[in-house]
Amino acid sequence: MTEIPENIRSKRIVREQYFFRGNAACPGCPIPKELDLMLEIMGKKTVLVVPASCSTVIMGDIHGSPSTVPVIHSAFAAAPAIASGVSRQIKLKGEDAKVVVWAGDGATGDIGFAGLSGAAERNEDMIYICYDNEAFMNTGIQRSSLTPYGAWTTTTPAGKREFKKPLPFIMMQHKIPYVATASIAYPFDYQGKVRKAKEIQGFRYLHLLSPCPPGWRFDSSLTIEIARLAVETGIWPLFEVLNGKFSLTGISKTLLEKRKPIEEYLKLQGRFSKLDKKEIEIMQEAVDSMWEDIRKMTN
């Protein structure tokens, strides 16, 4: 593990580095920081299972930067099954290591969804984290089921016509012990949810919105601002569901009645640059409808 000078350690949110600097992530990519924040809470006794994704490139190719915890790289659909087996073997050996699946939206909501649903239905003892950059980014920015309505991708050049699959809400229906959403713009909220998930037994699911500068077509200096606007406009609500009880977290607790218009989030991203007024109204109506559903769950 890379040591950080003490005069810098006290001023940083992340006090230890689990990935060596100079990795193969794109400029502005939040994935290395998201991994660092997660592993700072999970600790060294963590086994990562990573299906094919941007993280595979960051950690695994000839320019990659390996993690300081064990990593199993898997095929797209296999991560939940592999993690299930590893978790059970760890228990049989009486060890206290934790198993974390770290997967993109394509491996989670599309190619790997059957395995994910099966592991959740069996309540396997693992933490599953989907870092959602809303397309198959490392293979060429192709549409996924978690790509939002209206977004440009290389396979939806005129903008996607379908809405984003509401995966955190779908995972809620599996009746697993813990479901939560998070954002890199709110690291304490994110780390608090990882800490809570670590202390729970059974299947825990975290869904982390992960802005992608080349895929979403924004300047790499805007990653955190865009992540924050996703929350402030209500497109990405922060919440958790603990043993079936739903609650908003962080700044989202103040957004039931009033949120920023979604144009503030959309206008910074080239993937939405061709939307017309009607399409933006459709998206705003969908966000407002989701919040009406959230209101019912909070009552």
Side-chain angles (χ1 to χ4, degrees):
M1 184 179 302
T2 302
E3 294 296 331
I4 302 173
E6 183 57 36
N7 63 329
I8 297 176
R9 286 168 61 91
S10 61
K11 300 177 181 178
R12 294 169 58 94
I13 295 174
V14 177
R15 295 178 181 274
E16 295 177 336
Q17 294 178 1
Y18 287 82
F19 290 88
F20 298 110
R21 293 298 176 254
N23 58 60
C26 300
C29 174
I31 293 172
K33 181 63 70 179
E34 293 165 347
L35 280 163
D36 265 341
L37 289 167
M38 181 269 288
L39 287 171
E40 185 184 39
I41 301 301
M42 294 303 300
K44 295 179 181 178
K45 290 185 177 181
T46 301
V47 178
L48 284 179
V49 181
V50 181
S53 63
C54 294
S55 294
T56 307
V57 176
I58 292 169
M59 291 189 282
D61 80 347
I62 58 172
H63 303 297
S65 181
S67 169
T68 53
V69 302
V71 179
I72 301 171
H73 290 288
S74 80
F76 255 124
I82 291 172
S84 298
V86 172
S87 176
R88 292 188 182 202
Q89 281 300 309
I90 287 173
K91 280 192 173 182
L92 286 173
K93 292 183 177 180
E95 298 178 358
D96 61 353
K98 304 292 185 182
V99 178
V100 176
V101 176
W102 180 263
D105 51 290
T108 302
D110 295 301
I111 301 172
F113 182 72
L116 167 65
S117 181
E121 185 270 334
R122 298 191 304 273
N123 198 28
E124 299 283 355
D125 189 21
M126 70 175 76
I127 298 174
Y128 192 108
I129 300 177
C130 173
Y131 65 95
D132 182 3
N133 52 27
E134 299 190 326
F136 288 85
M137 295 304 185
N138 74 315
T139 55
I141 318 177
Q142 298 95 343
R143 166 205 192 280
S144 82
S145 64
L146 275 71
T147 302
Y149 173 87
W152 167 92
T153 68
T154 53
T155 51
T156 56
K160 188 185 174 191
R161 295 298 93 189
E162 301 80 21
F163 285 94
K164 181 183 180 79
K165 182 184 286 186
L167 198 48
F169 296 100
I170 292 172
M171 295 311 296
M172 284 171 52
Q173 299 306 314
H174 286 72
K175 312 299 182 186
I176 53 179
Y178 190 67
V179 177
T181 59
S183 166
I184 188 63
Y186 299 91
F188 295 118
D189 179 85
Y190 169 41
Q191 286 196 310
K193 288 166 177 171
V194 174
R195 185 177 293 105
K196 190 172 291 186
K198 182 181 179 182
E199 296 169 353
I200 298 171
Q201 296 292 310
F203 197 94
R204 296 87 86 192
Y205 180 83
L206 274 68
H207 201 121
L208 176 63
L209 187 65
S210 190
C212 172
W216 296 13
R217 294 182 164 184
F218 64 81
D219 186 272
S220 59
S221 66
L222 298 176
T223 301
I224 300 302
E225 182 175 354
I226 287 176
R228 184 173 59 250
L229 282 170
V231 175
E232 292 177 345
T233 59
I235 283 180
W236 192 250
L238 299 176
F239 65 81
E240 64 182 5
V241 186
L242 177 60
N243 295 321
K245 182 175 175 51
F246 180 95
S247 56
L248 292 167
T249 66
I251 188 175
S252 290
K253 290 188 289 188
T254 69
L255 300 178
L256 264 175
E257 303 303 329
K258 186 177 181 180
R259 300 170 294 277
K260 291 183 176 179
I262 63 169
E263 287 94 328
E264 294 193 28
Y265 172 72
L266 303 179
K267 68 183 182 183
L268 297 178
Q269 303 172 56
R271 63 176 176 159
F272 295 117
S273 62
K274 295 183 179 179
L275 294 184
D276 59 29
K277 184 178 180 181
K278 179 61 178 177
E279 290 172 312
I280 294 174
E281 288 176 355
I282 290 172
M283 296 177 71
Q284 183 69 68
E285 289 171 0
V287 171
D288 293 342
S289 176
M290 175 181 66
W291 276 87
E292 285 306 309
D293 292 337
I294 288 174
R295 183 191 303 280
K296 296 173 185 174
M297 287 188 282
T298 57
N299 291 331

